[in-house]
Amino acid sequence: MSDKLTPIEIGLTAAIVAIEDHEPLVLTARGADGLAGLPFGPFDAPSHRTFEIGLRAWVEEQAGLRLGYVEQLYTFGDRGRHAEAGDTGAHMVSIGYLALTRAAAGTANAASFEPWYRFFPWEDWREAPPALIARDIIPALTAWAEEEPPETTRALPRKDRVRFCFGLDGAAWDEERVLDRYELLYEAGLVEEARRDGRPAALARKALPALGTSMRFDHRRILATAIARLRAKLKYRPVVFELLPAEFTLTELQYTVEAISGRHLHKQNFRRLVEAEALVEPTGVMSTQTGGRPAALHRFRRDVLQERPAPGLRVRSRR
């Protein structure tokens, strides 16, 4: 075994989310290879006392954005995650973050916001189940599951993982399993990142289905982690209000929750839930910007944070 140590660098990678025109957006920047990637930069220990301080500083410097809510996700350190052919540089370990902002315009340094469903089209169920699930994903995953060796040591065989992840044969679609679904597609060799990483399942395929836009390095995995975390967080923390203006209509609140969860919600049931959870209060002002009848403006009721430990919107979809 070689006694030469590989140097390690610590980077910070951010999934910065905003909402615009009822669409969830994520900040991306194009690399020299033309692929979109999440903003990332090195952790400068002499300049910044904590990872979060460092993240906020370089995002404001590089993208011109001031972040609101910030939460650490996970440490991404798989071998070769930033390696390129012939690369002998340091191994990059990245601390992933979920960050929310109300600003979706005016970014600097060629960074721009893109719809996150461009990268995960199978996650958007607001209108109907995405056609590519039945057309492309399920047939390919079913064939892959049937190839599993009978002596597998996994607790769940492939066919059961496919069923649970994609809500087949009576299993419910769970919008929080974003990362599980992406990793299943990666393991089955159905996304471009698997081919790029040399996964045998991907290399054995003559062609890959068009399953969303690939990203640089492992950034689609980081984004999947961020989406899953935000979808779960909606149900027990009032994070949705970090994405809304200070005053909003209940329709705007519903559209924002639907955009994040990827699910269509029953209007009256949603409003009853909002009323029961007492998360908002009327401002006494009517909005005339709705395109129809004037609608009452509301604001987040901050007292709820002192009234109970887990205030959120435990929404249920119409499906």
Side-chain angles (χ1 to χ4, degrees), residues 47-308:
S47 300
H48 303 123
R49 181 173 55 85
T50 68
F51 290 146
E52 183 177 325
I53 291 173
L55 176 77
R56 290 180 181 275
W58 68 252
V59 167
E60 184 170 358
E61 177 183 347
Q62 294 184 18
L65 285 176
R66 288 197 174 187
L67 300 178
Y69 179 87
V70 170
E71 176 181 349
Q72 189 176 126
L73 291 171
Y74 190 71
T75 300
F76 298 85
D78 289 357
R79 187 178 61 188
R81 59 181 301 272
H82 268 223
E84 298 179 3
D87 186 11
T88 58
H91 177 61
M92 178 65 71
V93 173
S94 188
I95 312 297
Y97 279 86
L98 165 65
L100 308 181
T101 180
R102 294 189 176 106
T107 56
N109 292 340
S112 62
F113 280 94
E114 297 187 56
W116 78 23
Y117 291 123
R118 181 174 299 167
F119 307 103
F120 298 93
W122 57 87
E123 293 292 340
D124 187 1
W125 286 56
R126 287 174 293 176
E127 296 296 329
L132 86 169
I133 293 180
R135 185 188 66 229
D136 300 322
I137 291 177
I138 299 307
L141 285 178
T142 300
W144 172 73
E146 291 174 349
E147 296 170 355
E148 184 173 33
E151 65 275 10
T152 180
T153 58
R154 295 191 69 111
L156 280 179
R158 290 177 181 177
K159 63 178 182 179
D160 287 338
R161 293 164 61 205
V162 172
R163 182 166 66 89
F164 291 137
C165 283
F166 285 91
L168 304 179
D169 301 329
W173 173 271
D174 184 348
E175 67 270 16
E176 295 179 27
R177 302 190 72 167
V178 187
L179 181 60
D180 292 339
R181 284 187 283 272
Y182 174 74
E183 291 194 328
L184 194 64
L185 294 171
Y186 178 90
E187 185 181 343
L190 294 172
V191 292
E192 183 58 37
E193 287 88 340
R195 172 172 287 177
R196 201 167 62 212
D197 293 348
R199 297 283 298 193
L203 297 177
R205 297 182 183 276
K206 293 181 179 180
L208 300 182
L211 299 185
T213 302
S214 64
M215 301 185 80
R216 304 185 72 202
F217 309 129
D218 56 355
H219 288 192
R220 198 152 46 150
R221 175 175 277 111
I222 297 175
L223 179 55
T225 307
I227 296 172
R229 180 71 62 84
L230 184 53
R231 285 180 170 183
K233 210 82 172 180
L234 284 179
K235 298 171 184 177
Y236 61 92
R237 288 289 183 271
V239 291
V240 65
F241 301 104
E242 298 283 350
L243 296 164
L244 286 161
E247 298 182 352
F248 48 85
T249 67
L250 292 183
T251 297
E252 289 173 328
L253 174 59
Q254 179 174 338
Y255 282 156
T256 300
V257 173
E258 288 178 335
I260 295 168
S261 67
R263 303 301 297 264
H264 184 69
L265 305 174
H266 187 281
K267 181 178 178 179
Q268 296 307 320
N269 288 348
F270 178 79
R271 297 200 172 193
R272 282 193 286 268
L273 175 64
V274 170
E275 181 179 353
E277 295 290 342
L279 292 174
V280 304
E281 59 188 5
T283 65
V285 177
M286 303 295 287
S287 171
T288 58
Q289 306 299 314
T290 60
R293 291 185 302 174
L297 287 172
H298 292 73
R299 59 178 168 243
F300 173 52
R301 194 175 69 84
R302 298 189 179 279
D303 289 347
V304 74
L305 297 173
Q306 300 176 347
E307 294 170 358
R308 58 183 189 272

Side-chain angles (χ1 to χ4, degrees), residues 27-45:
L27 188 65
T28 66
R30 297 282 168 177
D33 54 8
L35 292 176
L38 300 175
F40 68 96
F43 173 59
D44 185 358

